[in-house]
Amino acid sequence: MKPWGKLLFWLITVVVLFVIVGPLVWIYLTAFKSANDIFTTDVRKLVFFKPTMENFHRLFSDYPFWNNFLNTVIVSAISTILVLLVSVPAAYSFARWNTGQGHLLFTTISTRMFPAVVAAIPFFMMYRKAGLLDTHLGLILLYTYFNTSFATFLLYGFFKDIPEELEYAAMVDGYSRVDIFRKVVLPLARPGIVVTTVFCLIWSWNEFLYAFLFTRSTARTVTVLISSFWGSIEVQYGPMAAGAAIVILPTLFVAWFMQRYIIRGLTFGAVKG
């Protein structure tokens, strides 16, 4: 690569990193700033300031942060588990036996082809009659509904790339269809399942619209709580940044520990022969 090419490459890399990492750095710096340092016009205090835990203290003492955080964990984890229990066998069925002749798979993914707000009113009316507003079960069912179609369509591609000859060979060895699925197919599809799990978990963790419309206090998630810091008169940047700094960590850790599977999953079936 020519010198100007390397220079252009590193310049683009720095710009991309700044765009991606810059907001995260700003959040964590703001979380440890006092109100005076947040609103100061002194450019030096953008980075050099006296750290304080005041924002975290306000977040924990003045707001039900941990309750809302626990709601987010419960809803995200349970809905993701339910999604996998449904989408893994469904995707395998579509990939191996073409269940529904392709029409059922298209109908499944079509539920994600319209904006989420389109379904808000019908779901709200049904939930109000069923008594599911402001409940954990209500959000879990919603997230399961919207993520199942996406997970099924994503896993369909992973299962489709697994050679059927491996299953035929296992049948010759006396394996049953259940054993083949459990001992042959699932281990090979593990990277794809991990990728799907991470995507569904992050979507449920960060979802705001339905959590905002369908919860009030009992099942309110942490994303709705953080949005409440943005008022019509005042924006509480300190507690908002402190809450965001904590909420971001679980997804970062999940992506970090699962990156080996994520990379394998995203390139699964890319090279054949």
Side-chain angles (χ1 to χ4, degrees):
M1 183 181 293
K2 296 182 180 179
W4 64 267
K6 291 184 178 179
L7 178 62
L8 180 62
F9 170 79
W10 285 110
L11 180 62
I12 295 176
T13 301
V14 170
V15 171
V16 172
L17 286 177
F18 178 79
V19 172
I20 296 175
V21 180
L24 294 177
V25 173
W26 182 88
I27 288 174
Y28 282 97
L29 289 177
T30 305
F32 292 97
K33 288 182 179 180
S34 63
N36 292 333
D37 290 336
I38 292 176
F39 295 102
T40 185
T41 57
D42 189 350
V43 179
R44 295 175 301 175
K45 289 191 174 182
L46 290 175
V47 179
F48 303 101
F49 58 90
K50 183 179 179 181
T52 178
M53 298 296 292
E54 175 187 354
N55 297 320
F56 293 94
H57 177 72
R58 288 184 57 196
L59 182 68
F60 301 148
S61 60
D62 298 345
Y63 305 95
F65 176 81
W66 290 120
N67 290 336
N68 296 158
F69 187 87
L70 181 60
N71 290 339
T72 303
V73 172
I74 293 173
V75 171
S76 301
I78 296 179
S79 64
T80 301
I81 293 173
L82 292 178
V83 166
L84 292 177
L85 290 176
V86 175
S87 61
V88 169
Y92 181 68
S93 175
F94 289 135
R96 280 294 174 266
W97 300 293
N98 193 25
T99 305
Q101 303 300 316
H103 302 294
L104 185 58
L105 179 62
F106 175 78
T107 303
T108 301
I109 193 60
S110 66
T111 59
R112 293 298 297 267
M113 293 182 180
F114 53 82
V117 69
V118 172
I121 295 179
F123 273 118
F124 188 88
M125 300 296 292
M126 289 189 296
Y127 271 40
R128 187 175 62 177
K129 292 183 179 180
L132 291 175
L133 292 177
D134 199 18
T135 63
H136 295 91
L137 178 60
L139 278 185
I140 290 171
L141 292 177
L142 272 174
Y143 293 173
T144 302
Y145 169 78
F146 282 104
N147 274 333
T148 297
S149 57
F150 166 76
T152 301
F153 189 76
L154 188 61
L155 288 169
Y156 168 81
F158 291 119
F159 285 127
K160 197 71 175 176
D161 285 333
I162 297 177
E164 293 186 50
E165 290 75 12
L166 295 176
E167 299 181 36
Y168 296 149
M171 289 181 184
V172 173
D173 291 338
Y175 280 71
S176 65
R177 176 58 69 178
V178 175
D179 290 333
I180 292 173
F181 180 71
R182 183 169 56 90
K183 297 180 179 181
V184 178
V185 176
L186 286 184
L188 292 174
R190 185 180 302 167
I193 295 174
V194 171
V195 170
T196 305
T197 301
V198 171
F199 283 161
C200 292
L201 188 62
I202 291 177
W203 185 89
S204 300
W205 188 271
N206 296 329
E207 202 280 328
F208 171 76
L209 176 63
Y210 286 109
F212 177 75
L213 294 177
F214 288 73
T215 64
R216 291 296 177 266
S217 58
T218 304
R220 184 173 64 172
T221 60
V222 73
T223 55
V224 180
L225 172 65
I226 293 176
S227 71
S228 66
F229 297 136
W230 189 286
S232 58
I233 299 177
E234 179 187 10
V235 179
Q236 303 181 62
Y237 288 105
M240 181 189 296
I246 297 175
V247 173
I248 290 172
L249 288 178
T251 55
L252 289 179
F253 284 137
V254 168
W256 176 264
F257 286 115
M258 296 294 186
Q259 62 178 331
R260 176 166 61 98
Y261 292 104
I262 292 175
I263 294 173
R264 288 177 58 193
L266 292 176
T267 58
F268 188 78
V271 179
K272 293 185 177 181

